[in-house]
Amino acid sequence: MTSRPVRIAVQIQPQHASYDQIRDALRRAEDLGVDVAFNWDHFYPLNGDPDGQHFECWTMLAAWAEQTSRIQLGALVTCNSYRNPDLLADMARTVDHISNGRLILGIGSGWFERDYEQYGFDFKTAGRRLDDLAAALPRIESRLAALHPTPVGPMPMLIGGGGEKKTLRLVAQHANIWHTFAGAEVLAHKLDVLRGHCDAIGRSVEEIEVSVGVGGRGRDGGVPGAPEVEGEPLLKLGARLFTIPTAGPEFDFATLQDWVVWRDRINA
């Protein structure tokens, strides 16, 4: 697999906290030495009090771009359904300039039904949402190329999800980073599928950075795994970007710090 370095990301969940607390968490994350800070693109909390405090994704990313100087930033992930693709491209280009080229454009097909219902978007079916994403990605790429000015540099596109027929084909066609919550056994299988899609279009799977959510399994949390236990099997398969979630209002970084120490040891 690729020799690219291990990187550590934090997902600062924009829920159950004041914006002052979120801003402070981002400052602490950059000071700790993480490589990437993600939020997410939802309108309501995903766990805890369903009507608790919550903030919008992209206006927050613009503020984060001004606040930080080193780390990359992005949504894990933007919901394709919530914005016109050309508008999203323009928003992403603008945040990229605010950050001086540090934006990761993370995108997925969407899944949280309450967001759709409360904000008036058509939830459709999972298959139709993926078809909409497939139609949107070329529009985003075309608009990014047509904007004046264009993004500061090559803007990495991250696509999240593990669907084998549609999502991983889109990853092969468009993504620089693929994000999943898979454990090692599932990741090995999904990488074989992704490799097949890449082979079909003449692209090397090595061009795609593999990103895995760790430190708590997936959207519903779980018991955090030590990086030596949870990370190293994924590392052997080719994962290089490891994302640790942290929740408000306290935004505890104890697990995140363990992964940063592990990264530094692996990369030494």
Side-chain angles (χ1 to χ4, degrees), residues 10-24:
V10 61
Q11 185 182 49
I12 298 173
Q13 299 173 355
Q15 61 176 6
H16 306 311
S18 68
Y19 189 72
D20 284 347
Q21 291 168 316
I22 294 171
R23 181 193 296 114
D24 180 66

Side-chain angles (χ1 to χ4, degrees), residues 43-44 51 112-121:
F43 306 127
Y44 296 94
D51 296 311
F112 190 40
E113 189 169 4
R114 187 185 184 194
D115 283 347
Y116 287 79
E117 291 178 345
Q118 294 294 315
Y119 277 64
F121 298 106

Side-chain angles (χ1 to χ4, degrees), residues 46 112 120 157 175 193 198 208 248:
L46 298 188
F112 190 40
M157 179 176 287
V193 175
C198 287
I208 302 170

Side-chain angles (χ1 to χ4, degrees), residues 92-165:
R93 180 278 310 256
T94 300
V95 173
D96 190 59
H97 275 264
I98 296 170
S99 69
N100 194 28
R102 293 182 288 118
L103 181 75
I104 295 172
L105 177 51
I107 194 165
S109 61
W111 64 274
F112 190 40
E113 189 169 4
R114 187 185 184 194
D115 283 347
Y116 287 79
E117 291 178 345
Q118 294 294 315
Y119 277 64
F121 298 106
D122 185 357
F123 190 55
K124 301 184 180 179
T125 63
R128 289 182 62 196
R129 293 195 303 273
L130 278 165
D131 292 342
D132 289 345
L133 177 61
L137 291 171
R139 287 180 59 183
I140 291 169
E141 292 166 344
S142 294
R143 181 59 58 186
L144 286 171
L147 288 167
H148 181 63
T150 55
V152 173
M155 181 190 295
M157 179 176 287
L158 177 155
I159 295 178
E164 297 181 9
K165 293 182 179 179

Side-chain angles (χ1 to χ4, degrees), residues 5-263:
V6 170
R7 303 199 298 155
I8 299 298
V10 61
Q11 185 182 49
I12 298 173
Q13 299 173 355
Q15 61 176 6
H16 306 311
S18 68
Y19 189 72
D20 284 347
Q21 291 168 316
I22 294 171
R23 181 193 296 114
D24 180 66
L26 179 64
R27 176 192 59 78
R28 290 191 290 119
E30 187 165 48
D31 289 348
L32 182 61
V34 302
D35 300 288
V36 185
F38 292 116
N39 60 7
W40 65 33
D41 189 20
H42 295 288
F43 306 127
Y44 296 94
L46 298 188
N47 47 53
D49 179 0
D51 296 311
Q53 295 181 93
H54 198 282
F55 291 95
E56 194 276 328
C57 171
W58 274 91
T59 46
M60 181 180 294
L61 287 176
W64 284 13
E66 282 283 9
Q67 179 185 341
T68 56
S69 61
R70 180 188 58 79
I71 57 177
Q72 288 188 289
L73 307 165
L76 194 63
V77 290
T78 304
C79 175
N80 175 64
S81 305
Y82 300 160
R83 298 164 193 86
N84 172 283
D86 294 86
L87 172 61
L88 176 61
D90 204 342
M91 292 166 58
R93 180 278 310 256
T94 300
V95 173
D96 190 59
H97 275 264
I98 296 170
S99 69
N100 194 28
R102 293 182 288 118
L103 181 75
I104 295 172
L105 177 51
I107 194 165
S109 61
W111 64 274
F112 190 40
E113 189 169 4
R114 187 185 184 194
D115 283 347
Y116 287 79
E117 291 178 345
Q118 294 294 315
Y119 277 64
F121 298 106
D122 185 357
F123 190 55
K124 301 184 180 179
T125 63
R128 289 182 62 196
R129 293 195 303 273
L130 278 165
D131 292 342
D132 289 345
L133 177 61
L137 291 171
R139 287 180 59 183
I140 291 169
E141 292 166 344
S142 294
R143 181 59 58 186
L144 286 171
L147 288 167
H148 181 63
T150 55
V152 173
M155 181 190 295
M157 179 176 287
L158 177 155
I159 295 178
E164 297 181 9
K165 293 182 179 179
K166 294 184 176 182
T167 302
L168 292 181
R169 184 172 69 243
L170 294 176
V171 171
Q173 293 169 337
H174 299 279
N176 308 101
I177 306 170
W178 168 51
H179 182 79
T180 177
F181 291 102
E185 183 176 348
V186 174
L187 180 63
H189 170 70
K190 298 290 185 181
L191 282 171
D192 283 342
V193 175
L194 179 59
R195 187 173 292 105
H197 287 303
C198 287
D199 289 346
I201 62 170
R203 185 184 186 193
S204 172
V205 74
E206 304 290 345
E207 297 177 16
I208 302 170
E209 185 175 22
V210 178
S211 169
V212 184
V214 293
R217 302 309 305 165
R219 297 179 185 130
D220 297 324
V223 178
E228 294 81 4
V229 175
E230 189 178 2
E232 295 196 7
L234 301 168
L235 182 71
K236 290 177 181 177
L237 291 169
R240 290 298 182 270
L241 178 58
F242 298 87
T243 299
I244 294 86
T246 184
E250 63 280 348
F251 295 112
D252 184 355
F253 281 2
T255 298
L256 179 64
Q257 186 164 5
D258 289 342
W259 283 83
V260 169
V261 170
W262 177 75
R263 174 204 65 190

